[in-house]
Each structure stands twice: as structure tokens, then as C-alpha cells.
Amino acid sequence: MSSSGAPCGACKFLRRKCVRGCIFAPYFGAEQGAARFAAVHKIFGASNVGKLLLHIPLGKRCDAVLTISYEAQARLSDPVYGCVATIFALQQQVILNGTSILYIPLPHEITIDLQVLFSMDIYRFCWGGQFASHHQYP
């Protein structure tokens, strides 16, 4: 429950009374929390997210809620790939920007081993080789 006495965004969305010690209150504020929680609830379910948060140390819950919220929004916009589509698009930008390094004049003191840079398999680096070798990307 917020300090103003208003229910948190999650309890407002679920239409229930927000009690002291509500697991969602610190992360889904009374103002905009209901809209953010709607996506989380639709994708993961309130009960599942509540149980998950109980198992996460208090200091890491904020990061977990941000991640869960981002994944829920990504799943709503892309039900098949979710945030993986965003990760893939960003990886492609890194690869494209990496190739443009070839055309940027560098000061003589800076040396870059481009062969090593471009031989790195970014998918193997990010997912330990398990994900990229078995999945097609958009």
C-alpha cells in the first residue's frame, strides 16, 4: 500500500484491497502501475509473479520486476519471439556497426585486431551456443 493510502497499481488492476506488505506495492505504483501490471498479469499471471518475487532477494526484486515488465510488453507486441526479437535486432546493429569500424580512420596508437573482433560468435557468447544453433531468427 502506498503512503497516500491508495492501492498499488497491481491491486487496483486486480480490484482488491491493497494490504500492508503487498508484494507488488513497491514496484507498481498507484499512478501508472495498473497499466504496467496489466501486461504482466496477462502474460505471466499475478499469482505466478507474486510467487516468483517471494523467491528473489529483496535487493534484486526491482531488477526482476523491470525485466518481467519488459518481457511482458515484448510478448504482447511479438507473441512468438518476445524480447528475443529485440535482442537479435540489437545484435545485428552491433555487427553492422562493427563492420563500419573498418571505414573509420583511427589514431595510429590504437590497434584493433578486427579478425578476432569479427570471428566472435555473438550468439555463442550470449547463450552458450545452445540457443542460436537450434533456432531461426525473424
Side-chain angles (χ1 to χ4, degrees):
M1 178 177 257
S2 69
S3 60
S4 65
C8 71
C11 291
K12 188 184 291 186
F13 177 80
L14 296 171
R15 296 181 183 192
R16 67 181 188 192
K17 181 177 170 134
C18 191
V19 296
R20 182 184 295 278
C22 174
I23 189 79
F24 300 117
Y27 314 107
F28 298 99
E31 298 82 36
Q32 298 173 355
R36 283 191 345 203
F37 187 77
V40 170
H41 176 64
K42 184 172 184 175
I43 300 298
F44 300 110
S47 178
N48 290 332
V49 173
K51 290 175 191 174
L52 177 68
L53 290 176
L54 288 174
H55 294 289
I56 297 174
L58 195 56
K60 296 185 178 186
R61 285 184 188 171
C62 186
D63 290 335
V65 169
L66 289 173
T67 303
I68 291 167
S69 297
Y70 184 81
E71 175 64 26
Q73 289 293 333
R75 284 278 165 197
L76 288 176
S77 64
D78 188 347
V80 175
Y81 292 103
C83 69
V84 173
T86 304
I87 292 169
F88 180 72
L90 292 172
Q91 288 173 342
Q92 293 302 311
Q93 286 181 4
V94 167
I95 290 169
L96 290 173
N97 290 336
T99 57
S100 67
I101 290 175
L102 294 172
Y103 305 107
I104 299 173
L106 297 173
H108 193 60
E109 304 84 41
I110 299 175
T111 58
I112 297 175
D113 190 346
L114 292 175
Q115 186 176 11
V116 171
L117 180 67
F118 294 120
S119 68
M120 287 193 279
D121 184 356
I122 196 160
Y123 306 115
R124 199 170 337 138
F125 176 74
C126 292
W127 287 293
Q130 298 170 357
F131 189 85
S133 60
H134 303 297
H135 290 69
Q136 293 290 326
Y137 295 100

